[in-house]
Amino acid sequence: MNKLFSFIILLIIFLFSLVSGCTDNNSPKKTEIPKMVFPESFTFFDLGSNTELSEKVVIKLSKELGSYAVEKISTLDLSLRDKILFNSNFPKLYELNRKLNDETGARVEHNITNLIFRYPQNENTPFENIKLVFSNNTNKPLFFSVASKKKGADLTDFLRGKYGEPTFIKWNDNKSTSLFWEKNNDFLIFSAISEGGAFKYSIMIYFVNNIEYLLKTEQNEIKKKEEERKKAGQTAF
């Protein structure tokens, strides 16, 4: 009796393993979604279009720039101070900014992370206010906004040497100016802004490919939610 019982147990184990093996072999394998990689363009402290925000990256930045603040789920405004100049000279950026925000002025928040360095502690750093915006979906950069000290004007020579000759734009106040570079669909804009008889300098980097990917992701999520609501309404009757 004991031998018969043992035989039955072994038979059950064998059949179970056989069925499991067949199931594993025939079941479809999960396809891995490849990470989106865009052409490189501009960098700031070695942060480029395909850099992913991580603890290691934050530690490296904090060593260079000091303490920082973090904002999660926030608005995203791409515009320059001179809105008319921005709209007329950067139609691609203007259209992206329009899609990211509500034309009536209602607050539109995005799944992003803002790293903000207000007072960099390194005396050799010509920057005084830095905002680095990353997508939480891909952890990749969307937009960098950097304010520079007076000696930041010397950066134009460095930028010319690295990225070539820029396009020159004069602002509507006839004092402020901007230089901009476009590379692989991304933009870098360096502006000398007249303010109270002096000039302030700003550098803005737009990772357009990443911004477009963020918008596409958001639009897909909205479409999915709308379909789920429709389906819920249909099944209610």
Side-chain angles (χ1 to χ4, degrees):
M1 189 71 177
N2 289 334
K3 289 183 178 180
L4 180 61
F5 180 77
S6 299
F7 175 77
I8 293 171
I9 295 297
L10 290 172
L11 182 62
I12 291 171
I13 293 172
F14 173 76
L15 291 173
F16 179 79
S17 62
L18 183 64
V19 172
S20 298
C22 291
T23 303
D24 291 338
N25 291 332
N26 295 329
S27 59
K29 294 181 180 179
K30 291 183 178 179
T31 55
E32 292 186 2
I33 301 173
K35 289 185 177 180
M36 190 64 66
V37 177
F38 293 112
E40 294 292 345
S41 55
F42 308 105
T43 60
F44 179 74
F45 280 103
D46 295 326
L47 302 178
S49 58
N50 293 296
T51 303
E52 294 187 18
L53 182 63
S54 64
E55 185 178 356
K56 184 179 179 181
V57 169
V58 174
I59 291 173
K60 181 182 177 182
L61 287 171
S62 64
K63 286 180 180 178
E64 294 282 352
L65 303 172
S67 59
Y68 60 91
V70 178
E71 294 178 350
K72 293 275 189 179
I73 314 298
S74 181
T75 58
L76 182 53
D77 184 5
L78 306 178
S79 60
L80 296 173
R81 185 183 299 187
D82 189 328
K83 300 290 194 300
I84 297 175
L85 176 139
F86 178 75
N87 298 354
S88 58
N89 288 276
F90 303 98
K92 185 185 295 184
L93 298 178
Y94 168 76
E95 184 63 19
L96 285 174
N97 196 55
R98 187 187 66 79
K99 291 178 179 178
L100 288 165
N101 297 281
D102 189 285
E103 294 181 358
T104 64
R107 182 180 176 87
V108 179
E109 294 183 328
H110 303 277
N111 188 21
I112 59 177
T113 292
N114 297 334
L115 276 182
I116 302 171
F117 300 84
R118 296 195 187 283
Y119 304 103
Q121 297 169 359
N122 188 339
E123 293 182 358
N124 294 321
T125 300
F127 312 117
E128 55 189 14
N129 197 325
I130 300 165
K131 184 177 182 180
L132 311 176
V133 184
F134 292 82
S135 166
N136 290 337
N137 296 319
T138 61
N139 292 325
K140 292 183 179 181
L142 301 169
F143 171 60
F144 294 164
S145 175
V146 182
S148 179
K149 299 173 184 177
K150 283 186 178 180
K151 60 181 179 180
D154 300 334
L155 286 171
T156 56
D157 292 334
F158 172 78
L159 293 172
R160 278 190 170 95
K162 188 172 183 179
Y163 300 119
E165 280 302 310
T167 301
F168 175 84
I169 300 175
K170 198 165 188 177
W171 287 29
N172 292 310
D173 62 6
N174 289 320
K175 297 178 181 178
S176 306
T177 58
S178 287
L179 305 174
F180 80 87
W181 293 258
E182 184 178 3
K183 184 178 180 181
N184 292 329
N185 209 32
D186 297 342
F187 286 85
L188 187 156
I189 303 174
F190 181 95
S191 299
I193 305 167
S194 177
E195 192 173 278
F199 283 93
K200 286 190 175 183
Y201 304 95
S202 78
I203 302 168
M204 303 175 90
I205 300 177
Y206 302 85
F207 297 98
V208 174
N209 297 308
N210 291 343
I211 296 171
E212 290 177 339
Y213 190 75
L214 171 72
L215 279 168
K216 183 179 178 180
T217 302
E218 290 181 340
Q219 289 166 357
N220 288 339
E221 289 175 354
I222 292 171
K223 185 178 179 180
K224 184 179 178 181
K225 288 179 181 178
E226 287 177 350
E227 290 174 351
E228 288 174 352
R229 280 197 296 267
K230 288 180 181 178
K231 187 176 179 181
Q234 291 170 356
T235 57
F237 297 97

